[in-house]
Amino acid sequence: MDLKPLREEVLEANLALVRRGLVIFTFGNASGYDAASGRVVIKPSGVPYDKLTPADLVMTDLKGNLLAGSTLRPSSDLPTHLALYQAFPGVHGVVHTHSRYATSWAQAGVEIPCLGTTHADYFPGPIPVTPALTAHEIQTEYEWNTGQVIIKRFKGIDPLKTPAVLVNGHAPFFWGASVTDAAHTAEIVEELAHMAFVTVTIKADAGRLPDVLRDKHFLRKHGPASYYGQDLPVKP
Amino acid sequence: MDLKPLREEVLEANLALVRRGLVIFTFGNASGYDAASGRVVIKPSGVPYDKLTPADLVMTDLKGNLLAGSTLRPSSDLPTHLALYQAFPGVHGVVHTHSRYATSWAQAGVEIPCLGTTHADYFPGPIPVTPALTAHEIQTEYEWNTGQVIIKRFKGIDPLKTPAVLVNGHAPFFWGASVTDAAHTAEIVEELAHMAFVTVTIKADAGRLPDVLRDKHFLRKHGPASYYGQDLPVKP
Amino acid sequence: MDLKPLREEVLEANLALVRRGLVIFTFGNASGYDAASGRVVIKPSGVPYDKLTPADLVMTDLKGNLLAGSTLRPSSDLPTHLALYQAFPGVHGVVHTHSRYATSWAQAGVEIPCLGTTHADYFPGPIPVTPALTAHEIQTEYEWNTGQVIIKRFKGIDPLKTPAVLVNGHAPFFWGASVTDAAHTAEIVEELAHMAFVTVTIKADAGRLPDVLRDKHFLRKHGPASYYGQDLPVKP
Amino acid sequence: MDLKPLREEVLEANLALVRRGLVIFTFGNASGYDAASGRVVIKPSGVPYDKLTPADLVMTDLKGNLLAGSTLRPSSDLPTHLALYQAFPGVHGVVHTHSRYATSWAQAGVEIPCLGTTHADYFPGPIPVTPALTAHEIQTEYEWNTGQVIIKRFKGIDPLKTPAVLVNGHAPFFWGASVTDAAHTAEIVEELAHMAFVTVTIKADAGRLPDVLRDKHFLRKHGPASYYGQDLPVKP
C-alpha cells in the first residue's frame, strides 16, 4: 500500500507553506494520516523543499515505526504529530511552521486574542498558548512531550473547532480533517497574528470581541445554522 | 436586462481587490448599483475569486430579492450593501474588505485620525468608527443592522465626501459613485491606515493635522476651488 | 530648445519612484532644472504614471511661466520646486514623494535622527523637519510658502550635504545635483526612515550616533578625505 | 594562482545577499579566505552589484596587500574582514550587510535576545552587540579597530558556534566555514531580528528562552548528540 494520493497531498501542503512565505529554509513540516491503514506520511528531516518528491516522504505507523520503502529519516517533530493523531479523533493532517507573526506570539508566551470578526470567522475564541515545558519534559522525549503539553492545554477545548496552538517559546502547530485544511489554517492564522500585532500596537488594551459578536461570526460560517457559502439553496 | 457592463465592472473591482492584496481567500466583496433599473450586482458568497465569471455574479433588487438568472447565493453581507444604497443617494458602488491595517484600526475601535496631508487629500476628516452593535442588533438581522449602525454614525457627515467607515471590531466598508471608485478608495485607505499605524508608533500623541491645512489639501483636490489635475485650462 | 535629454531624465526619475514603491497613484512628482537655459521640466498634475511620455512633461521658466509646447498643467507643487531651485545654488533636481516611512516621520513632526552609520553614510546629521506652516502661509500661495519654510529651516545647513527635508504634517522633499540623484536620495531616505522606525520601537530612547562616528562615516564617503569607491588609485 | 572557484563562490554570495533583500545599493560586502594560499577574495568598493564579474573581485593577502591582477580597490571594510580571519581559526567567509532588522538592533545598541526555539536552532545564546568604539579607535584605523572590538567582545564565546555580531551603532557582521555559510547566516539572522522585533513589541519584557530549552534545540541540530537531518542512519 503506497498511499500515493496522500503522499501527493502531503507534498503539495509542504510546498504550499513555502509558496505562501510561511516557511523559509527547512523551518516546518506537514504530515497526513490515513486512518483506514493507520499510516502517517511526513516530510523527511532537513531536506530542502525544492528537492522533495512524493517518494522522499517518510511513511510510519501511528507509533512512529518506519514502514518499508522509507529511505530517509522523518522530521524530528514526528512524535508531536503522532501524539496529536492519537489524541484528536478526526484529525488527519498536522502542520508545523515558524511563520513570523504566529511564532512571535508564541515567543511572547501570549495567546492570540480574538480581537475581531476576521478571527471569529475561523476560531470560536483565542488561539491558545501552552504552558512552558518543564525541564524534565524537555530532556526526555521532547517532541512527544510537546504533543502532550498541547493535548493537556486542549482539555475542555474541541480541537476540531480550534485547530491551532502556540507552543510556548517555540512556534505554532495546526491541524485539521486533512493536511490541506491544516495548511490553509496556517495561512489564516499568520494573517490573524499579523493583524493582532498591529491592533495591540495601536491600542495596547484593545478589547476582546464581545462573545455575542464572536459567536455570530463563527456560527454563520460553521455548524448547523451557518448561512455562508453555497451549501444552502439559493431561495430558502 | 442583463446589465453586462455593470457585471463586468463589479467583477473587475472584486478582482482588483485581490490583485492589490486587500483581500485574501474570500475575505471581501464588492457590488454595484444601477439606479435606473434599481438593480444590484454582487459577488456570490464564498466562491473563490479565481473562478468568478460575470455570469456568476448575483443580481437582486434593492430589497434583496434575487432576480431571474441568479444561480448562486449572494454574499452574506448583501443586506449591508443594500442599506447603504438605500440611505446614501449618489452611491453606486460598495466594497468590503478585511485589509490588514484598516481592519486593525477597526479592531482597536479607533477612528483613523487625519495625521497628514496624504489623508487630507482624500478625506476632510478622520475615517469614522461605528459604535459596537448591541447584542440585539447582532442577533437579529445582523448584516442589515451593520448598515444601520453605519448610517447612524454618518448623521451630519456627507457620505460622498467621507466614503469609508470602520465597523467596530469588524472591518472597513467603502463606497462611491461607482464600484471602481469604491475599490480605489479601499486601496487609498489601506495606505492611510498603514501610515497612521507607523506615525502613532513613532509618536503616540502625534497631533492631528491643523484644520486649515486639512481643508487646504482637501479643497485643492475637491470642490469648486480645486486646482489639482487637468480639469482647469492650462493658462487660467 | 526642447531639452530632450532632461525630459527623458525627468520622466525616468518619475517612473523610478513608482518602480521602487515610493509613489502610489499620483502621490509624487519630480522635476529637473537646466541652469544654462533657466528652464524647469516637471511632471504634469494628476496624470497617471503609466501614461506619461516625455512630451507630456511641462516646461516652465524659473518663475513658473509655461513655455511654448506645454499642453498640460504642471504639478500643483511646482512653486515649491521653483523656490528650491532659486534658493539652493547647485540643485538641478527636486523630488517629492509620500513614501510610507518618511511621510510617517513628517506626520509625527519629528526629524529622522541619525541613529547609525547607514544614515551617516549619506547625511551628516538628522533629516530636518520644518515648523508647521502658519494659517496665513497655508491660505496664501501655499506651495510657494512650503518652499520658503524649507529654505528658512535650512538656514545654517548646507542643502547639498543634507539633500532632504520633512515638511511638517505633509511629506518629504529631496533634491540634488540632478533629478536622478534626488530620486536616489528618496530611496535611501525611505530605508533610513524605516530603520529608524524599527530602532525607536525596539528602544524608545536609542542614542544618537556619537559625532565622531557620524563624521567618520560621512567623510569616508564624501569630501576631500573620502576613501570609498573607485575614485582613488588602487595603490595610494 | 587565480582561485577561480573561490572567486565564483564569493561573487555568488554577494549576489545572493542582494536577491534576498539583505543588501540595497552597495550596502554590504562578502569575502572568502583560502587558508592554503593565505589569500582573501573580496568585493571591490562601491561597484554596483549588477555589474560585478568574478574578475572584478579583489585579491589580497592576509595583511591586505593587493595581489597581481587586482585592478579595483577593495571594499573599505577589508581590514575588518582580515582581522576576523586572523583571529578566528576555521573561519573562511565573512559577510557584512546593513539589513533592516539586524541593523536596527545594532542601532539600538541591544543584543538580539534568544526569545524562541527558532533562534536556538541556530545560536546557543543571544547575538552579541559590541561596545561603542572609542573616539581614538574611530579616528585611527577605523575598519581594523572594528574587527578588534568584535574580537574582544568574543572573549569567552566560540565564534564558530555564534557566527554573528552586531557592531554598536553600525550593522551586523557574519562569518562561517565558508562565505556561502556566512551568507546563509545573514539571512537567518535577519529573520530572527525581525521576529525579535515583533515579539518585544507585543510584550516588552518577553522572557528569554529557558536555558534547558535553548540547549535542547541548539544541540539537536549541532554537535555529537544532534539528531536533525539525514546524517544518522534511518533506523538507529
Side-chain angles (χ1 to χ4, degrees):
Chain A
M1 179 169 22
D2 188 55
L3 299 179
K4 191 155 172 281
L6 182 61
R7 281 177 181 275
E8 286 171 356
E9 188 185 359
V10 171
L11 177 61
E12 167 55 22
N14 275 290
L15 297 179
L17 298 174
V18 175
R19 276 199 312 271
R20 294 169 192 167
L22 303 172
V23 158
I24 59 168
F25 306 116
T26 58
F27 291 12
N29 40 69
S31 74
Y33 170 51
D34 179 63
S37 64
R39 295 182 170 203
V40 171
V41 171
I42 192 165
K43 182 174 161 290
S45 181
V47 174
Y49 285 89
D50 57 3
K51 305 230 163 107
L52 278 183
T53 67
D56 292 332
L57 298 177
V58 182
M59 193 184 294
T60 75
D61 65 18
L62 209 47
K63 297 197 165 175
N65 297 305
L66 263 65
L67 299 181
S70 294
T71 57
L72 294 168
R73 290 164 54 82
S75 165
S76 52
D77 293 313
L78 172 65
T80 313
H81 293 238
L82 297 177
L84 299 179
Y85 289 129
Q86 291 179 25
F88 293 165
V91 167
H92 301 105
V94 171
V95 162
H96 174 48
T97 74
H98 286 235
S99 62
R100 189 176 295 152
Y101 288 88
T103 301
S104 294
W105 285 93
Q107 292 190 158
V110 178
E111 66 180 21
I112 302 177
C114 179
L115 295 169
T117 62
T118 322
H119 185 119
D121 280 338
Y122 289 90
F123 288 86
I127 298 173
V129 62
T130 69
L133 274 73
T134 64
H136 185 258
E137 285 166 343
I138 291 166
Q139 288 165 335
T140 60
E141 301 198 80
Y142 169 61
E143 293 82 5
W144 173 257
N145 287 332
T146 297
Q148 297 310 312
V149 167
I150 296 171
I151 293 160
K152 253 180 269 172
R153 181 66 186 79
F154 271 69
K155 203 170 166 178
I157 302 176
D158 180 345
L160 289 178
K161 287 195 180 153
T162 298
V165 73
L166 307 177
V167 177
N168 204 314
H170 186 162
F173 281 82
F174 312 96
W175 52 81
S178 69
V179 65
T180 304
D181 283 1
H184 178 69
T185 297
E187 192 174 4
I188 296 285
V189 169
E190 184 63 6
E191 183 64 34
L192 299 178
H194 198 152
M195 277 189 191
F197 162 74
V198 176
T199 304
V200 301
T201 303
I202 292 172
K203 190 167 192 292
D205 61 343
R208 304 303 174 256
L209 202 65
D211 290 2
V212 61
L213 182 52
R214 183 197 65 200
D215 294 347
K216 174 70 187 177
H217 268 264
F218 189 72
L219 298 174
R220 82 174 183 167
K221 287 190 79 168
H222 305 267
S226 72
Y227 57 95
Y228 181 88
Q230 298 297 335
D231 294 339
L232 291 180
V234 173
K235 299 214 177 194
Chain B
M1 179 167 23
D2 187 54
L3 299 178
K4 191 155 172 281
L6 183 60
R7 281 178 181 275
E8 286 171 354
E9 188 185 359
V10 171
L11 177 61
E12 166 55 23
N14 275 289
L15 297 179
L17 298 173
V18 175
R19 276 200 311 272
R20 294 169 192 166
L22 302 172
V23 157
I24 59 168
F25 305 116
T26 58
F27 290 13
N29 40 69
S31 74
Y33 170 51
D34 179 62
S37 64
R39 294 180 171 204
V40 171
V41 171
I42 192 167
K43 183 177 160 286
S45 181
V47 174
Y49 285 88
D50 57 3
K51 305 230 163 104
L52 278 183
T53 68
D56 292 332
L57 298 177
V58 181
M59 193 185 294
T60 76
D61 64 19
L62 209 46
K63 297 196 165 175
N65 296 305
L66 262 64
L67 299 180
S70 294
T71 56
L72 293 168
R73 290 164 53 82
S75 164
S76 52
D77 293 314
L78 172 63
T80 313
H81 293 236
L82 298 176
L84 299 179
Y85 289 129
Q86 291 178 25
F88 292 165
V91 167
H92 301 106
V94 172
V95 161
H96 173 49
T97 74
H98 286 235
S99 62
R100 190 176 293 152
Y101 289 88
T103 300
S104 295
W105 284 93
Q107 292 190 158
V110 178
E111 65 180 22
I112 302 177
C114 179
L115 295 169
T117 62
T118 322
H119 185 118
D121 280 337
Y122 289 91
F123 288 86
I127 299 172
V129 61
T130 69
L133 275 73
T134 64
H136 185 257
E137 285 166 342
I138 291 165
Q139 287 165 335
T140 60
E141 301 199 81
Y142 168 60
E143 291 83 5
W144 174 257
N145 288 333
T146 297
Q148 297 311 310
V149 167
I150 295 170
I151 293 160
K152 253 180 271 172
R153 181 65 186 80
F154 271 69
K155 202 168 165 180
I157 302 175
D158 180 344
L160 290 178
K161 287 194 180 153
T162 299
V165 73
L166 307 177
V167 176
N168 203 314
H170 186 162
F173 280 82
F174 313 96
W175 52 80
S178 69
V179 66
T180 304
D181 284 0
H184 177 68
T185 298
E187 191 174 3
I188 296 286
V189 169
E190 184 63 7
E191 183 64 33
L192 299 178
H194 197 152
M195 276 189 191
F197 161 74
V198 176
T199 305
V200 300
T201 303
I202 292 172
K203 190 167 193 292
D205 60 344
R208 303 304 173 255
L209 201 65
D211 289 3
V212 62
L213 183 51
R214 182 197 66 200
D215 294 348
K216 175 70 187 178
H217 268 263
F218 190 72
L219 298 174
R220 81 174 185 168
K221 287 188 80 168
H222 306 268
S226 71
Y227 57 96
Y228 181 90
Q230 299 297 334
D231 294 340
L232 290 180
V234 173
K235 299 213 179 194
Chain C
M1 180 168 22
D2 188 54
L3 298 179
K4 192 157 171 281
L6 183 61
R7 281 178 181 275
E8 285 171 357
E9 187 185 359
V10 171
L11 177 60
E12 167 55 22
N14 274 289
L15 297 179
L17 298 173
V18 176
R19 277 200 311 272
R20 295 170 191 166
L22 302 173
V23 158
I24 60 168
F25 305 117
T26 59
F27 291 13
N29 40 69
S31 74
Y33 169 52
D34 179 62
S37 64
R39 294 181 170 201
V40 172
V41 171
I42 192 166
K43 182 176 160 284
S45 181
V47 174
Y49 286 87
D50 57 3
K51 305 229 164 105
L52 278 183
T53 67
D56 292 333
L57 298 178
V58 182
M59 194 185 293
T60 76
D61 64 19
L62 210 46
K63 296 197 165 174
N65 296 303
L66 263 65
L67 299 180
S70 294
T71 57
L72 294 168
R73 290 164 54 81
S75 165
S76 52
D77 293 314
L78 172 64
T80 313
H81 294 236
L82 298 176
L84 298 179
Y85 289 129
Q86 292 178 25
F88 293 164
V91 167
H92 300 105
V94 172
V95 162
H96 173 48
T97 74
H98 286 235
S99 62
R100 190 175 293 152
Y101 289 88
T103 300
S104 294
W105 283 92
Q107 293 190 157
V110 178
E111 65 181 21
I112 303 177
C114 179
L115 295 168
T117 62
T118 322
H119 186 117
D121 279 337
Y122 289 91
F123 289 86
I127 298 173
V129 62
T130 68
L133 275 73
T134 65
H136 184 258
E137 285 166 343
I138 291 165
Q139 287 165 335
T140 60
E141 301 198 81
Y142 168 60
E143 291 82 5
W144 174 257
N145 288 332
T146 296
Q148 297 310 311
V149 167
I150 295 170
I151 294 159
K152 253 180 272 173
R153 181 66 185 79
F154 271 69
K155 202 168 166 180
I157 302 176
D158 180 345
L160 289 178
K161 287 195 180 153
T162 298
V165 74
L166 307 177
V167 177
N168 203 313
H170 187 161
F173 281 82
F174 313 96
W175 52 80
S178 69
V179 65
T180 303
D181 283 0
H184 178 69
T185 298
E187 191 174 4
I188 295 286
V189 170
E190 185 62 8
E191 183 64 32
L192 298 178
H194 198 152
M195 276 189 191
F197 161 74
V198 176
T199 304
V200 300
T201 303
I202 291 171
K203 190 164 193 295
D205 60 344
R208 302 304 173 256
L209 201 65
D211 289 2
V212 62
L213 182 52
R214 182 198 66 200
D215 294 347
K216 173 72 186 176
H217 268 263
F218 189 72
L219 298 174
R220 81 173 183 168
K221 286 188 80 168
H222 306 268
S226 71
Y227 57 96
Y228 181 89
Q230 299 297 335
D231 294 340
L232 290 181
V234 173
K235 300 215 176 193
Chain D
M1 181 167 20
D2 190 54
L3 299 179
K4 192 156 172 279
L6 182 60
R7 281 178 181 275
E8 286 171 356
E9 187 185 359
V10 171
L11 177 61
E12 167 55 22
N14 274 290
L15 298 178
L17 297 174
V18 176
R19 277 200 312 271
R20 294 169 192 168
L22 302 173
V23 158
I24 60 169
F25 306 117
T26 57
F27 291 13
N29 40 70
S31 74
Y33 170 51
D34 179 63
S37 64
R39 294 181 171 203
V40 172
V41 171
I42 191 166
K43 182 175 161 287
S45 181
V47 174
Y49 285 88
D50 57 3
K51 304 228 163 108
L52 278 184
T53 67
D56 292 332
L57 298 177
V58 182
M59 193 184 294
T60 76
D61 65 19
L62 209 47
K63 297 197 165 174
N65 296 305
L66 262 66
L67 299 180
S70 294
T71 57
L72 293 169
R73 288 164 54 81
S75 165
S76 52
D77 293 314
L78 172 64
T80 313
H81 293 238
L82 297 176
L84 299 179
Y85 289 129
Q86 292 178 25
F88 293 165
V91 167
H92 301 105
V94 171
V95 161
H96 173 48
T97 74
H98 287 235
S99 63
R100 190 175 295 151
Y101 289 89
T103 300
S104 294
W105 284 93
Q107 292 190 157
V110 179
E111 66 180 21
I112 303 177
C114 179
L115 296 168
T117 62
T118 321
H119 186 118
D121 279 338
Y122 290 90
F123 288 86
I127 298 172
V129 63
T130 69
L133 274 73
T134 64
H136 185 259
E137 285 166 341
I138 291 166
Q139 288 166 334
T140 60
E141 300 198 82
Y142 169 60
E143 293 81 4
W144 173 258
N145 287 332
T146 297
Q148 297 311 311
V149 167
I150 295 171
I151 293 160
K152 254 180 272 173
R153 181 66 185 78
F154 271 68
K155 202 169 166 178
I157 302 176
D158 180 345
L160 290 177
K161 287 195 181 154
T162 298
V165 73
L166 307 177
V167 176
N168 204 314
H170 186 163
F173 281 81
F174 312 96
W175 51 79
S178 69
V179 66
T180 304
D181 282 1
H184 177 69
T185 298
E187 191 174 4
I188 296 285
V189 169
E190 184 63 7
E191 183 63 34
L192 299 178
H194 197 152
M195 277 189 190
F197 162 74
V198 176
T199 304
V200 300
T201 304
I202 291 171
K203 190 165 193 294
D205 60 344
R208 304 303 174 256
L209 201 66
D211 290 2
V212 61
L213 182 52
R214 183 198 65 198
D215 294 346
K216 174 71 186 177
H217 268 263
F218 189 72
L219 298 174
R220 82 174 183 168
K221 287 189 80 167
H222 305 269
S226 72
Y227 57 96
Y228 181 88
Q230 299 297 334
D231 294 338
L232 291 180
V234 173
K235 299 215 177 194

